[in-house]
Amino acid sequence: MRFLLVEDNLELAKAVVECLGLDGHAIDHAEDIAAAQACIDAASYDLILLDIMLPDGDGRDFLARHRRAKNRTPVIVLTARSQVSDRVGLLDLGADDYLTKPFDFSELEARVRAVLRRQGGVANNSRSFKGVILDSTLGAIMINGESHTLRNRELRLLEVFFSAPEQIFSKSHLMDRLFSFSDDVSENAIEVYIGRLRKKLEGSDAKIETVRGLGYRLVAET
C-alpha cells in the first residue's frame, strides 16, 4: 500500500520510512504542508501519517481541509501532545487514530494495520478467495493447508487483488500502489511480481488473469 508521511523531523521520518518500507509499503515523505498537498494532488494514498507542528503551518489545519474536501483517506496523527483535550480535538477534526511521540515502531505498525482493517471493513488481517487464505500478519498464503511465504511487495500486491476479486487493475494503478515517487522502477517490475504470484498460486482454485490492454484481475481457476 502507499502511504504519505508528513513529518519535518528528518531523523524520525527516515526511521518511519525504513520501518514501514520493510513491510513492503511505498512511502512518500513530505517535510511540510505545501509538499504534502503537492503529493496528494499527484497521487492517491491508502493512509496519511501526519505530524502536527510543521514548518509552514499546523497539521490540524491540513487535516481539517483534508476532511472538508471530502477526502476519506485515513489519517494517523503523530503528535508530541499528550493531553486528553488534544487527542479529543484531533479525533473530532477527522483523525482516525493518533500516536504520541516518542513511540515504539511495533505500536506504529499495529496501529497502521488496525486503521487499514477498519478502512477495509474487515475484522482481522486475513482474507480468503476460492480457498486461498491470505494472512497479512504472517505474510503468507495458505493453499490446501500448506503455507507459502510471500516477499513484502508480493504481499502488498496480492492484498490489492484480494481487496477486490474480479476487478481489473491496470499496470499503472498497481505501480501507484506499490511504489513511491522516489522508487526508480519501470512497469516491467509489475510483470515480475505478477509472475512470482502466479507460481505461488499454482495448485489453488485462484489465479491472476491478464486482461489484454486493460490489466490484471484475481479470478477463479477454471
Side-chain angles (χ1 to χ4, degrees):
M1 294 189 173
R2 188 167 181 170
F3 302 160
L4 174 62
L5 170 64
V6 190
E7 171 62 66
D8 66 324
N9 182 322
L10 297 184
E11 186 175 351
L12 176 59
K14 181 181 178 183
V16 171
V17 169
E18 288 180 353
C19 171
L20 298 178
L22 287 174
D23 284 339
H25 299 295
I27 301 105
D28 291 317
H29 171 221
E31 296 182 34
D32 54 33
I33 291 174
Q37 189 59 55
C39 286
I40 288 176
D41 291 342
S44 61
Y45 293 96
D46 299 293
L47 177 70
I48 296 173
L49 300 163
L50 176 65
D51 185 21
I52 290 298
M53 301 177 68
L54 294 162
D56 58 348
D58 191 318
R60 289 170 294 193
D61 296 334
F62 174 82
L63 174 60
R65 288 201 303 275
H66 185 72
R67 293 307 183 216
R68 283 199 300 271
K70 308 298 183 187
N71 191 320
R72 300 177 62 184
T73 305
V75 175
I76 297 178
V77 173
L78 309 177
T79 176
R81 299 173 183 270
S82 59
Q83 298 297 314
V84 172
S85 58
D86 293 321
R87 300 197 295 269
V88 170
L90 289 166
L91 293 171
D92 284 344
L93 272 178
D96 296 85
D97 201 355
Y98 59 85
L99 198 53
T100 304
K101 299 178 183 176
F103 52 79
D104 188 281
F105 285 106
S106 63
E107 183 178 2
L108 171 64
E109 293 173 302
R111 287 179 183 269
V112 166
R113 289 193 295 270
V115 168
L116 293 176
R117 279 201 306 272
R118 290 200 297 271
Q119 182 73 0
V122 296
N124 55 45
N125 289 313
S126 67
R127 300 184 185 198
S128 64
F129 178 74
K130 299 301 177 184
V132 179
I133 300 172
L134 170 65
D135 191 316
S136 296
T137 303
L138 297 177
I141 51 174
M142 295 286 293
I143 300 174
N144 300 323
E146 186 175 348
S147 178
H148 302 266
T149 302
L150 300 168
R151 296 184 179 181
N152 288 335
R153 283 205 166 112
E154 295 170 0
L155 169 63
R156 300 311 168 198
L157 183 56
L158 204 51
E159 284 178 334
V160 174
F161 287 114
F162 269 69
S163 70
E166 311 284 353
Q167 179 176 322
I168 299 172
F169 294 99
S170 68
K171 194 179 287 186
S172 61
H173 176 85
L174 297 175
M175 284 287 293
D176 185 68
R177 306 275 31 94
L178 235 61
F179 300 105
S180 68
F181 290 125
S182 60
D183 290 319
D184 184 18
V185 292
S186 71
E187 289 191 347
N188 290 337
I190 294 298
E191 296 177 9
V192 173
Y193 287 115
I194 292 288
R196 292 178 182 173
L197 290 177
R198 281 174 170 159
K199 287 184 178 178
K200 294 193 173 179
L201 288 171
E202 287 179 353
S204 76
D205 292 329
K207 69 175 182 179
I208 297 175
E209 179 182 73
T210 299
V211 182
R212 190 175 296 277
L214 295 177
Y216 305 93
R217 62 181 175 182
L218 180 67
V219 296
E221 180 68 85
T222 56

